[in-house]
Amino acid sequence: MPKKIEKIAVLTSGGDAPGMNAAIRAVVRTCAYHNVECYGVYQGYEGLIEGDFEILNARSVKGIINKGGTFLKSARSQKFRTKEGRQQAYDNLIKANIDGLVVIGGDGSFTGAMIFNQEFEFPVMGIPGTIDNDIVGTTHTLGFDTALNTVVDAIDKIRDTASSHNRLFFIEVMGRDVGHIALNTGIAGGAEEILIPEEDLGLDRLVDSLNRSRKSGKSSSIVIVAEGDKIGKNIFELKDFIDENMEGYDVRVSVLGHMQRGGAPSCFDRVLASRMGVKAVESLLEGETNYMVGLINSKMELTPLEKAIKGKTKINLELLRVSDIMST
């Protein structure tokens, strides 16, 4: 029989994402609903090692569902990568009589949680929070939908300038290893071309696409580039190539950067965070451990942390085809 869960701690780790505060709120209020004490851990795993946590109740998390970022703060802990650091974290949890841990973060955060569970058999549950949507076991990670809306809004504004001055804009979005943000926002923003890590389209195709656009009468163009795209060393090298090899284009570059992580979470992310928080706590109370909660076929499901970490998300091939058709 697993030990009855009476106290649960929650932390956020890795890069922040819109919806993390909503998820914390959901964890805390689900604990309150089930008469379980909840502790908030500050500064991620570093806070576990330092013992930087405090009791949270339903009123502690009022007014945060609409806030971006994470009020518990986030940090990448080098100490937690060591056995000594994890031992110190475990000792602090036991000292506070905490029985379970909810980790909100990405694959690096889940790797730490999985190792922690394996070493100390401490119950853990993961909630996927990353704008890249690059974790297996959920169709949407927290922050992905909000990031898409933020990027599309930026593309719309940039297009106004591109159209006014007959310019070609390369717009770089986040996505070091996956192109989910680029592909979705490129279609929604009416981009002429979308460059993603999963599909090496090559410079020749890019040039052909831009030539077709110009011959069809387009006086301005938008090209969305995922930061991990392999065509050039970086987006500025792409600009230089077009400047050198294609006449008649006034080329500009816009790197959206960390603005994609900020802002109030969308309605979708707030609801998703609430559902994930409830599922995470109730799964721990039911004796489940070493899982990540996720959205699959519109339902909350559990995926082993190891599978979530080691799996590789796949790009939507239908969206690629839609993108090709829409850029005609």
Side-chain angles (χ1 to χ4, degrees), residues 11-293:
L11 63 80
T12 49
S13 176
D16 64 290
M20 281 185 164
N21 276 327
I24 297 167
R25 173 181 180 269
V27 169
V28 173
R29 293 197 170 178
T30 306
C31 284
Y33 180 83
H34 290 285
N35 297 311
V36 172
E37 206 167 64
C38 188
Y39 285 75
V41 181
Y42 291 92
Q43 302 290 343
Y45 288 121
E46 197 71 13
L48 281 185
I49 295 171
E50 301 298 328
D52 188 9
F53 38 83
E54 65 178 8
I55 296 176
L56 300 176
N57 58 38
R59 301 285 71 80
S60 302
V61 291
K62 66 179 181 179
I64 68 169
I65 192 172
N66 61 320
K67 305 293 186 183
T70 162
F71 89 94
L72 289 178
K73 310 298 183 184
S74 184
R76 304 184 191 278
S77 175
Q78 291 299 321
K79 292 180 183 177
F80 197 76
R81 295 175 181 268
T82 68
K83 181 64 181 287
E84 294 75 19
R86 293 190 295 272
Q87 181 68 56
Q88 191 171 345
Y90 176 75
D91 292 343
N92 285 333
L93 288 169
I94 296 303
K95 183 178 179 180
N97 296 314
I98 294 172
D99 310 305
L101 176 65
V102 176
V103 175
I104 306 170
D107 55 359
S109 304
F110 291 164
T111 298
M114 183 179 69
I115 294 172
F116 192 68
N117 172 263
Q118 292 170 346
E119 288 181 344
F120 303 104
E121 297 185 353
F122 195 87
V124 297
M125 193 64 58
I127 293 178
T130 167
I131 68 169
D132 289 333
N133 206 42
D134 59 349
I135 296 178
V136 168
T138 185
T139 56
H140 290 75
T141 56
L142 288 183
F144 177 56
D145 184 72
T146 304
L148 294 183
N149 292 329
T150 299
V151 172
V152 168
D153 184 60
I155 293 172
D156 289 346
K157 290 178 169 60
I158 290 172
R159 186 175 285 283
D160 290 343
T161 294
S163 300
S164 298
H165 297 276
N166 297 331
R167 285 175 177 166
L168 163 63
F169 266 89
F170 285 110
I171 302 176
E172 182 184 275
V173 300
M174 284 187 169
R176 188 173 53 218
D177 301 309
V178 295
H180 299 301
I181 292 177
L183 184 55
N184 283 270
T185 60
I187 293 173
E192 279 65 44
E193 195 62 81
I194 303 169
L195 308 181
I196 57 177
E198 294 90 341
E199 296 285 325
D200 187 1
L201 301 181
L203 288 170
D204 290 340
R205 167 171 167 151
L206 176 61
V207 171
D208 289 343
S209 176
L210 293 174
N211 279 329
R212 284 197 308 271
S213 294
R214 187 158 54 183
K215 289 177 181 178
S216 70
K218 292 182 180 180
S219 59
S220 64
S221 293
I222 297 286
V223 177
I224 304 300
V225 184
E227 62 180 319
D229 177 67
K230 305 299 192 297
I231 287 183
K233 292 180 181 178
N234 55 57
I235 194 171
F236 297 99
E237 185 179 84
L238 282 176
K239 175 190 179 302
D240 292 341
F241 178 85
I242 298 300
D243 282 336
E244 293 170 4
N245 292 275
M246 297 187 70
E247 295 181 359
Y249 270 116
D250 183 9
V251 187
R252 294 289 189 274
V253 168
S254 183
V255 178
L256 300 187
H258 285 80
M259 68 173 288
Q260 297 162 84
R261 282 189 182 175
S266 65
C267 175
F268 182 90
D269 274 329
R270 297 183 200 191
V271 174
L272 181 63
S274 300
R275 294 179 68 188
M276 285 181 167
V278 170
K279 181 68 173 179
V281 171
E282 292 187 340
S283 295
L284 282 174
L285 296 181
E286 292 167 1
E288 303 289 359
T289 183
N290 215 25
Y291 286 99
M292 179 198 81
V293 301

